[in-house]
Amino acid sequence: MADTKKRSLDSDNGTESGPEKKLATGDGDGKDTKKPVADPGSEAGSMLAGFQTEKIMRVSSREKNIFIHGKMGSGPNEGQDAVLILEKTPFREDSLAELFKTSELKLQMRNDIYSTYHMHPPAHLNDIKATVVCPATEKHIKKYQSQELFLIQESGEDYRNITLPYIQEQSFSVQWVYNILEKKAEADRIVFEDPDPQNGFVLLPDFKWDQKQLDDLYLIAICHQREIKSLRDLTREHLPLLQNIQQQGQEAIMKRYSVPSCRLRVYLHYQPSYYHLHVHFTVLGYEAPGCGVERAHLLSDVIQNLQTDTQHYRTRTLTYPLRADDALLHKLREAGRF
């Protein structure tokens, strides 16, 4: 289970990532406005200058990222453990002409009609997104390490007797979620809000999306209700909330980004990475972390299942992956369920 004090950037077991200050996407009332966000300044420019690498925890050639455990070498967190995530940003169509014109090509191989080059673009067209978790606890470090995954089949009884008590014992913090809902943090990033306390929600970009192109569009809808932890809590009485998130979320994305509902993947995770009901909106064609069949549940299917049976998600067996070091996996194993 992911550490819920911070949004994670775990490709298989998390859905969110740490903050990046670039461009705010709204003024909190659903209006289509953009405001510049203050630049982090010289501290951000030098904070990695003395970074000391301790261990490469994970590298993905497919996702073009690397996860590094190390210690900060300068600044207020000097000497403290940190997790550094480096990720190549996607190509932008609007910069291709400049990319072709200003990049240097070095021939590597030519054979008949095929040739391979190393391309060296100018720095401003060769971004690397850096996410820093500091100070990083042992839990953060373990979370980002490459580990085996195990597929769990959790019955409704397993949830009530094992998983729910585990969640309650751990007291996972979602204060950062409440900060968003109360406009104490990230208010300038909200794309749309329905303030209704029962059926309302806020919609804002996930931090994995740099908002420079639509190919990896990713937004999160966080409901105002605070009693719903996950898919397991949903019954027919929550249908107005779910239908509102689906309809108004899709309309807001169409208005802001001109992406129609037929090009959106709208889903919930189980297990979620934090225990406050939220819904993911990603563009089709983007293989977002956690969108696989073993973890993602399409919102349209959830609505239909609840219309058919109000107790559907409280009684059915749900399948999901857990990492080898997950405490919940050990609880399930101790109970003889794995």
Side-chain angles (χ1 to χ4, degrees):
M1 196 91 45
D3 176 13
T4 56
K5 292 183 180 179
K6 276 287 184 182
R7 280 164 282 186
S8 69
L9 198 148
D10 186 303
S11 60
D12 293 312
N13 213 29
T15 57
E16 287 88 12
S17 65
E20 175 191 26
K21 294 183 179 178
K22 286 202 174 180
L23 182 69
T25 57
D27 58 4
D29 62 1
K31 295 179 182 178
D32 191 11
T33 60
K34 293 188 178 181
K35 303 181 214 174
V37 176
D39 186 84
S42 58
E43 178 187 348
S46 61
M47 65 181 296
L48 297 180
F51 187 85
Q52 302 170 11
T53 298
E54 300 277 330
K55 182 180 180 181
I56 304 299
M57 298 187 292
R58 192 188 338 156
V59 180
S60 173
S61 58
R62 184 175 71 90
E63 297 179 0
K64 304 295 188 299
N65 58 28
I66 183 170
F67 295 73
I68 307 164
H69 170 218
K71 293 186 182 295
M72 301 300 291
S74 61
N77 294 317
E78 182 176 358
Q80 292 188 323
D81 279 300
V83 173
L84 174 61
I85 305 164
L86 302 179
E87 180 182 9
K88 291 290 291 182
T89 57
F91 289 104
R92 297 171 51 192
E93 291 185 21
D94 60 1
S95 66
L96 288 179
E98 184 182 3
L99 181 70
F100 300 150
K101 183 177 180 180
T102 59
S103 297
E104 178 185 357
L105 286 179
K106 291 186 178 180
L107 180 67
Q108 300 300 307
M109 180 276 295
R110 179 178 287 121
N111 184 352
D112 193 27
I113 64 173
Y114 302 100
S115 53
T116 303
Y117 300 84
H118 278 172
M119 191 174 194
H120 301 279
H124 69 283
L125 297 178
N126 196 25
D127 287 348
I128 295 177
K129 178 182 176 182
T131 301
V132 180
V133 181
C134 183
T137 65
E138 186 65 26
K139 183 178 290 187
H140 289 114
I141 295 168
K142 285 184 177 180
K143 180 177 69 174
Y144 292 114
Q145 288 176 338
S146 180
Q147 294 190 35
E148 279 189 291
L149 290 173
F150 296 88
L151 207 57
I152 304 301
Q153 290 188 320
E154 177 194 87
S155 67
E157 184 177 357
D158 291 336
Y159 175 76
R160 291 187 294 274
N161 296 335
I162 303 171
T163 305
L164 182 58
Y166 166 77
I167 295 170
Q168 293 169 336
E169 289 170 6
Q170 296 299 310
S171 299
F172 292 115
S173 173
V174 289
Q175 184 57 50
W176 65 270
V177 175
Y178 300 157
N179 289 342
I180 293 174
L181 295 176
E182 295 168 7
K183 310 297 193 310
K184 294 179 179 178
E186 304 186 40
D188 56 357
R189 301 185 67 249
I190 294 175
V191 171
F192 174 86
E193 178 178 20
D194 179 342
D196 184 87
Q198 291 301 311
N199 299 325
F201 65 98
V202 298
L203 181 71
L204 70 166
D206 186 276
F207 277 118
K208 284 185 290 299
W209 182 36
D210 64 11
Q211 304 172 62
K212 292 182 178 179
Q213 61 285 310
L214 299 178
D215 293 343
D216 56 343
L217 178 143
Y218 197 151
L219 295 100
I220 299 288
I222 303 175
C223 73
H224 280 297
Q225 282 199 53
R226 301 191 179 190
E227 298 77 23
I228 312 172
K229 291 182 288 296
S230 73
L231 195 64
R232 284 292 192 187
D233 290 331
L234 295 174
T235 64
R236 194 173 292 157
E237 71 178 87
H238 299 115
L239 284 173
L241 166 64
L242 300 176
Q243 291 166 333
N244 189 47
I245 291 176
Q246 183 178 51
Q247 179 179 342
Q248 291 213 74
Q250 290 174 339
E251 290 176 356
I253 291 173
M254 179 62 186
K255 179 181 178 181
R256 170 58 67 87
Y257 305 108
S258 300
V259 178
S261 60
C262 61
R263 292 191 56 220
L264 291 175
R265 181 193 296 115
V266 187
Y267 57 97
L268 298 86
H269 280 151
Y270 191 79
Q271 291 280 339
S273 55
Y274 54 94
Y275 292 100
H276 180 105
L277 189 73
H278 57 285
V279 177
H280 304 257
F281 290 76
T282 63
V283 68
L284 288 175
Y286 170 49
E287 295 184 16
C291 72
V293 296
E294 69 275 16
R295 189 161 178 235
H297 299 256
L298 290 175
L299 180 57
S300 56
D301 289 345
V302 172
I303 290 172
Q304 186 173 4
N305 289 334
L306 291 175
Q307 288 172 332
T308 303
D309 178 9
T310 187
Q311 295 294 316
H312 182 90
Y313 290 104
R314 297 193 174 186
T315 59
R316 72 160 290 184
T317 295
L318 296 178
T319 301
Y320 56 85
L322 287 178
R323 291 160 57 95
D325 70 340
D326 198 303
L328 178 57
L329 181 69
H330 300 316
K331 292 282 187 182
L332 292 165
R333 184 178 284 128
E334 289 172 0
R337 300 302 297 143
F338 175 76

